[in-house]
Structure formats: C-alpha cells, structure tokens
Amino acid sequence: MAHTTYAATRIRGLSVRDIRFPTSLEADGSDAIHPDPDYSCAYVIIYTDTDFKGHGLAFTIGRGNELVVAAVKSLAKVVVGKKLRPIFENFAGTWRELTSESQMRWVGPEKGVLHLAVAAIVNALWDLWARIEHKPLWKLLVDMEPETLVSTIDFRYMEDVLTREEALQMLREMQTGKNNREERMINRGFPAYITSAGWLGYSQEKIERLLKGFISQGWRHFKIKVGQDLEDDKRRCKIVRDVIGEERTLMVDANQKWSVKEAVDWMKELAPYKPRWIEEPTSPDDILGHATIAEALRPLGIKVATGEMCQNRVVFKQLLQAKAIDYCQIDACRLGGVNEVLAVYLMAKKFNVPVCPHAGGVGLCEMVQHLQMWDYICVSGTTKDRIIEYVDHLQEHFKHPRKVVSCHYLAPKIAGYSVEMWEESLMKYEYPYGSEWKKLFSCGKYQDPEASPPPWIEHRTKGKIVYR
Amino acid sequence: MAHTTYAATRIRGLSVRDIRFPTSLEADGSDAIHPDPDYSCAYVIIYTDTDFKGHGLAFTIGRGNELVVAAVKSLAKVVVGKKLRPIFENFAGTWRELTSESQMRWVGPEKGVLHLAVAAIVNALWDLWARIEHKPLWKLLVDMEPETLVSTIDFRYMEDVLTREEALQMLREMQTGKNNREERMINRGFPAYITSAGWLGYSQEKIERLLKGFISQGWRHFKIKVGQDLEDDKRRCKIVRDVIGEERTLMVDANQKWSVKEAVDWMKELAPYKPRWIEEPTSPDDILGHATIAEALRPLGIKVATGEMCQNRVVFKQLLQAKAIDYCQIDACRLGGVNEVLAVYLMAKKFNVPVCPHAGGVGLCEMVQHLQMWDYICVSGTTKDRIIEYVDHLQEHFKHPRKVVSCHYLAPKIAGYSVEMWEESLMKYEYPYGSEWKKLFSCGKYQDPEASPPPWIEHRTKGKIVYR
C-alpha cells in the first residue's frame, strides 16, 4: 500500500452537478413502474490540493435528481477540508460519519435520497484512492490485505450475521489461487447478460430484430420486462423463447409491480416459458413477501432476484436470512458506495447466494464490473451462476467506458472507478442549463422549469418576503 | 358528507417553509444517536381559491430539513391546480400519484426525504378537508362511512395481510358503541405518558426534580433514554425506579443504538428495573432483528416497541407478521400522512398489537391525538395498553396546541389537524432568514450558512459557469 503517496493530501473542495439524459424520448429503460425515465445522475468531483481528483456518481431516473444533488451539498462538509490519511485509514469511520450525520440521519437513515448522496461521495473517494494508487478499483481491492479491506466496512447492524472476524477469515481463505483468478479475469473477463432488447416500450419487430442481432454476437442470457399485462407478457415471453431457443436463458423483471399473491399467480402463468428468475416481483421493502414468493416458485424452478432498490445492508441481510432471494442484485450507488457493497458481497458468500449486479442506467456497468471481478478473485472464486447485467447505451459519455467483448466485461486497465465522464457531456447535459437541455426546451420537447412559475409559492428569497 | 362544499374548490398554490428551533442549545431531545437535535419541520400551506387553507408539516431534527422542503417543491405539481373533488373522492389514487411519481420514486420509494415530503403535503390536504367540513380531524374520520374511509387507503403491498374487504369488515363491526366511545373521549380524553424527564443530556438533579413534579401532577408512565453507557443506564434506571416506585411504569428507549445481540445483552442488565418496553433497540430496518430481540426478552417480561423511524406500511406489515413488535409506534409524518397511518392502525388491529404513537418533536403531539382517538372510537375500542407519548415543549408555537389535562390528551374541538403555527413563530424561526436565526448567527451560537463559502464548488449559477 502506497499510503505515503496520499499522506499529506487534503480535500480542498467538491463539486456536484445535476446531469440528465432525455432517454424518455426513446422509451429506453421503460418498465411497468417507470414508463418514462430520463436516465440521470448526481455527478461528484472531489478536488484535492494535488492533481488527483475523484469522480463519483449516483444514478437516478430524472426528477428527484435535484434532491440527491442537494443532499450531496449538505453532506459535503463531512469530507471537504479533511486529509486523505484519516479518511482512508478509518474508512469505516468516515462512512459512519456520512451515513449517521447526527441531524441529517433523521431524513434517512441509510436510505433513499440521503443514501444515494452518500454513494456519490463515497464512490468519488474510492475513485480518488484508486487513482492515487495508479490502479483500477478492482485491482486496488484485490491487492488489499484482508485487514485493510475489512477496515473499510461498518459492521453495525450486521454482526448477527457476519462479524469482522468471519469476514477476515473468508478473505484469508481465498488468498490461495488469487493470482490464477486474476489472470483469468484479465484474459477472459466476466460474463454478461443483456437487457437492451426487453424494454416494455419496444415493438415486437424491434425486440425480434435486436434479439437476433445479439444472438449472432454470441449472447446467451436475455432479460425482458413483465408485469403490465399478463396476456402481453405471455405473448412476448413466447416471442423471446421462440427466438432464443431452449438452450439460452430468459430472465423476467417486474419492477415491483405486484402484490405477493399476484406475483405468485402471474409467474405460474409465465412458468411454461421457463424464466430463470423473476426480478423485483414486489415491493423492495417486503423481505417476508419475497420469501413467500421464493418458496412458492421454487417447485416451478423459477428463482427470485432482487436488489436494485434494496436500500442498505440491513435489508440485504434479512433477504439472505429469510431465504427470500436466490440472486443478490447489488446496486453500486443504491447502497452507500463501495464500502457497503463489499459488506453485502461478503454476506452473500456466507449464505451461498450468487451476486448478479444491477447495471445499465448511468455508469452502473462501469462500476459493477470492478466489484464483480473483486468478488470472483477474492470472495466467491467462481463465475458459476454469476453474470453482470449489460445495457448498451449512454457509454459514449464516459472517458473509459466498460469494454464488453464476446459477451464478457473486460477487466478495466485505467486507474480509478471508471465513472469519469467527458467534460463536454457534462456541459451538454447539465440540467437545466446544458446546451442539449436548452435545445430540448426551445423545441418544446421538454418544459423549461424556469419558463413557467413554480407550483409553490415562495415566501422568502434572501431574507425578503415574496408572496405571489 | 358535505362533499358539495368543496365540489368546485381548486388548489391554487402551495407554500413550504424551512422552520427550525434551536433546541440543541438546551439538549432537549438528545439521545444516544441524536446528541444535538434542532427540532424542525417542513411547513406546508395549501392555498385554495376559497378562504380555506390546509396546514401540514413533517418533523425533522435540523440539517436535512432543507431536503424535505426541496422535495415538497418537486412534488407540489401533483396537487397544485387540481380540484378538491377528484383529490378527496379518489384519495388513495392521489396518494399513489404522490408516492409513485414515475421518476421521483427512484430516490425513494416511499421512504426517507421523499416520504416525509409526501406526509407534509398529505397532512395539509387532510387539514384542509377537515376545515371544510368544520370538524377536527378525528371527528372527520369518526363520522366517515367505512367505505369512504377505506377509499383513502392504497392497499398495494398490504393485501397479503389486509384486504380492502377485511378493513371494511373491521370498521363495520366497530360501528356499535361508537357514540359512547366518542363521548368518553370528549369527557376524559386519551391517556398519555411523559418523556420530558428522560433525555440523556439532563443531570441527575434535573431528572429527579422533573419526575417529582410530574408525579405530583398525576403522571404514571415515564420513558427515559438508554444506550450510551450501560453503567450510567443502570444508575439512571435505578434513580427513576426509586422515584416512581413499583406501581408506576418505566419505559426505555435506545434510539437504534445496538446490534441485535447487544440489545438482548444490555436489556438483560436493565431487566431488574422492570422496564415495560425497550423502544428502538436496533436498526429500524431490521425486522428479523427485532423479532429475535422480542423473542429473547419475552421471558423477562420486557416488550419491544418501535416505529418512529419505520419507513412505511410495508415494513410495519412485516414487523407485525414476524411478531417483532409488542407496541406499534406510528409516526404521523414518517409514514406518508394520514392515509398510510390509517392503514397501519388497521393492520395492527388485525394482529392485536396496540398502537402507542410516537410524539414530541414539532407538531407530533398535535397530530397523533386525532389518530389515536379515531382508533379508540372506530378501530380498537379500547385504551388498554394504549398510551400517547407526551413531551411538553414547543407547543407555544401552535395556534391550537394539544391540551393535556390530568395526564390525558383532550379531544380537539377546532376544525382541522391542529398543526397550524402562529405566523409570528414562522417568521421568527424560518431558517436561515427568520429573526431568531439572525440573532443566533450574530451572537455566534450558530454559524450563518451564508456567511462562509459552501463546502462545494459551484459549477453553474443560472446558466453561467462559476468555478472557485
């Protein structure tokens, strides 16, 4: 560990920008619950008194992104002005300071807007650390002594399932064979599955055309959206199964559309199309509901997957305890950044549940590839039943986008966490002042938030009372 | 139902203010996790095209309040401009529109900042409805036909435990005797317990003095904070038990301080002081953890209570399913306003778990008295094992504060939900421009957020790039 390289470095500032892409115009990303997402992110840069910067982001789907941006501003004081040594040498403590700020935690805690903001800051800190060490994040994690890695995790509320000592033990046991596994990642990469063919808004012709194209590229696993209309789901599952054949894998995703009973009934109807898993069958908060669904679907050979909306390690802990999930779909910025994601991987290992990360969105593919490679090399030691989601859009905005070749994510080589975006993209898509947004407002495709009066009445502006 | 009175009324606007009281100066409200709360609220007024206004609020403890205010502004468009008839005649649908705004739900859903904002708006809508009907909220609820009341509830994600039909049945069965129970509430009010003696920051002398004063007023139930230091907790429990004697009730509250095992071990040490319940022993998200704790403490006669941080009905549903709570402590604005609180009361009835609302804070006492009286008259039919928290500060800011006489909350008589604050209080305590805040900044007790540069770097202001 080249700790000396950052010993004297101090964080001199942090910037956060509201970046939004008008993806709803093309129905990209549409599902049963989110018909019109504008893929967005709160984009953070941490500036130091050296040339090193850290980039981090939290993905959202449009409106509400302004709240994550505001929360980052409110939390910035926890890290700005601090030296890197106390941050990284007590990273669990720094993480606790961010997640448990004594007043702000009331509007969380460890969930929603506030936790997304923590993720954006924490992810930027990890990017910074990896850059200082001149390593891609996965390699930084892989090269860490087990003691150092475990020191980044806050075990509060997890100890009934995983203690610090157990985590250490797990990591130590996997030291053997690390080099071989690292080599395999560098040579082959990590297997991926594809979701881009399956959005609800896409036509039958578009689905078939996309699927055939993907099959010709060698893809073997496909996920489609379900939950809006049972007859239409059957029809679309049949189309997909007909195109991909019996030997390839179909997964389905309901994006929280159903009640518990509805999920079971609906999936019984889709069972003939042999989906490997049903993703997000019901409320992301319903641990016991997922357990009921998983038990009911087990005899049909349908597994349950969830996690992209799973708010923190405490809920993942219970999903694992209750045997509610067969696949654990961590999200790189729904959880509070890398530290908490590591904790969830370790718990999943203990329960022998494979992690298949949620990706797509903005920057999620870029981030989760690092985490999954670390898992393979240092935790699970296998790719069996493990696969990373892959969605092929918006990568053009990233300076070093993920490379997916032969349906495998290739191990990133550039130092950092791979989320740095082109300054030009940031300038174009900053909401609402970026040049692309100005165009969209002027052609009437979106409403300029500043062109019409807000729906609320302003009482005061800078100390002066302004009633409308 | 005088629906005709609002048939043509339209919501013309909504205002929201960041109101904060500098309570941390006196250590009021301090506990093991929140050492320095500044009791605050996002304060909403809904304006109509008539003279009727609706007042609502969501309580927070200081920093982070600005995020709830911002979220209210972002959600305002869901109700502003709408007529009251479609809002109240399909209140479950309106509630769903607020909680499931197709893009904003990503930064929730139904939790944290976003759900607090929903609560502030929804509570203002109920206040408005009650005022139009010229009834205090509890009476509006009590006089509603079961069908109307149930029509305000969104049963999504609850149906595996409570269907609309079961809820209706429950309410219909309790129609008998309603008048007698209403009379009892008007004559006697609802029993209360007191927390004001038990904050961690208070000295022994202060605790004893306060307790003796409360006992002389007739109080029989007292709650104190625990969890910071075991020996100190034992000492303080002993002081309280010595002063209140065996015949009065002690409850203890750990405010989420412990892991599951720690909670069990710690409470075994406090068992000799015979606390009736341990409140918030661990993470509010840990349903299975609470179940483990409840099971371990049952033989000791210590019950488990939680709810003030319970994010929504889905988590309450599971706490009830898992037998994780013996007392259900709903919060009037942690849940998404009255509609969702009603749902939780009905589920608690089904599981035969008494509801003892969380109060204190800003306006919580004012709100929960209405809910608890409705529960007594229309749902549970009993005050056995049911009690409302009472904290005697900040009531001076309310136009019609709760009246607690002989340790009972008296039934409110004024139309509405009792949260309207004096305009003078709003002007004084609006953060950061109110006159009291200006004084606090100038005497140096608080830092003026505008006097020092923010910790973040502004990239753009109104379209112009501003780098620092």
Side-chain angles (χ1 to χ4, degrees), chain A residues 14 63 101 157 256 457, chain B residues 14 63 101 157 256 286 457:
Chain A
L14 175 159
R63 290 183 295 276
E101 205 276 354
Y157 303 144
Q256 315 159 32
I457 296 171
Chain B
L14 174 158
R63 291 183 295 277
E101 205 278 352
Y157 303 144
Q256 316 158 31
D286 199 348
I457 296 172

Side-chain angles (χ1 to χ4, degrees), chain A residues 236-463:
Chain A
R236 289 160 56 253
C237 279
K238 187 172 182 316
I239 294 169
V240 176
R241 185 50 83 195
D242 286 350
V243 177
I244 70 174
E246 288 293 320
E247 72 282 13
R248 295 189 190 83
T249 307
L250 163 67
M251 293 93 90
V252 298
D253 182 356
N255 291 89
Q256 315 159 32
K257 184 74 179 178
W258 302 315
S259 69
V260 174
K261 186 177 174 306
E262 212 178 354
V264 174
D265 293 346
W266 199 295
M267 286 312 298
K268 282 183 179 165
E269 298 280 331
L270 299 186
Y273 311 103
K274 298 182 189 162
R276 172 173 295 182
W277 76 48
I278 169 64
E279 181 170 328
E280 292 206 295
T282 189
S283 163
D285 305 334
D286 199 349
I287 296 145
L288 301 178
H290 278 87
T292 303
I293 295 165
E295 200 186 341
L297 298 182
R298 213 160 276 141
L300 300 173
I302 302 170
K303 310 277 193 179
V304 169
T306 199
E308 72 184 72
M309 288 270 195
C310 181
Q311 66 201 31
N312 57 37
R313 72 203 172 289
V314 182
V315 176
F316 269 119
K317 177 183 79 168
Q318 295 171 84
L319 286 167
L320 293 164
Q321 286 177 298
K323 300 191 201 317
I325 51 172
D326 304 293
Y327 293 96
C328 172
Q329 299 181 303
I330 57 98
D331 182 291
C333 51
R334 172 73 59 182
L335 290 168
V338 176
N339 314 53
E340 192 172 25
V341 176
L342 301 179
V344 174
Y345 271 99
L346 291 166
M347 286 195 290
K349 156 99 170 183
K350 177 155 175 180
F351 284 91
N352 204 18
V353 168
V355 178
C356 297
H358 171 234
V362 177
L364 298 182
C365 297
E366 279 66 26
M367 289 188 272
V368 297
Q369 57 181 346
H370 291 272
L371 305 166
Q372 196 73 355
M373 288 180 190
W374 165 74
D375 176 62
Y376 172 70
I377 298 167
C378 296
V379 185
S380 69
T382 177
T383 57
K384 184 174 180 299
D385 252 354
R386 285 160 175 86
I387 199 159
I388 307 178
E389 185 164 18
Y390 173 64
V391 183
D392 62 343
H393 59 200
L394 299 180
Q395 63 267 47
E396 64 274 23
H397 303 296
F398 289 91
K399 229 163 163 174
H400 308 291
R402 76 285 186 155
K403 289 207 179 85
V404 173
V405 175
S406 303
C407 317
H408 283 67
Y409 277 87
L410 299 189
K413 290 176 184 164
I414 308 287
Y417 199 11
S418 306
V419 295
E420 184 175 355
M421 290 173 72
W422 294 108
E423 184 58 30
E424 196 192 341
S425 290
L426 296 171
M427 299 290 280
K428 275 185 179 170
Y429 290 99
E430 185 169 355
Y431 185 86
Y433 304 117
S435 54
E436 284 299 314
W437 282 105
K438 297 223 156 153
K439 273 189 228 165
L440 289 162
F441 299 147
S442 69
C443 74
K445 285 195 173 164
Y446 280 80
Q447 204 189 350
D448 183 350
E450 304 205 336
S452 56
W456 67 89
I457 296 171
E458 212 48 88
H459 272 281
R460 285 166 182 271
T461 305
K462 297 273 171 197

Side-chain angles (χ1 to χ4, degrees), chain A residues 283 285-286, chain B residues 95-96 99-100 109-111 115 153-161 310-321 330 334-336 339-345 347:
Chain A
S283 163
D285 305 334
D286 199 349
Chain B
W95 192 84
R96 173 85 67 97
T99 56
S100 302
E110 301 188 276
K111 55 182 66 77
H115 218 45
I153 297 174
D154 183 355
F155 283 87
R156 183 164 67 168
Y157 303 144
M158 276 171 51
E159 290 142 333
D160 50 328
V161 150
C310 180
Q311 65 202 31
N312 57 38
R313 72 202 173 289
V314 181
V315 177
F316 269 118
K317 177 183 80 169
Q318 296 171 84
L319 286 167
L320 293 165
Q321 286 177 299
I330 58 99
R334 173 73 58 182
L335 291 167
N339 315 52
E340 192 172 23
V341 176
L342 300 180
V344 174
Y345 270 99
M347 286 195 290

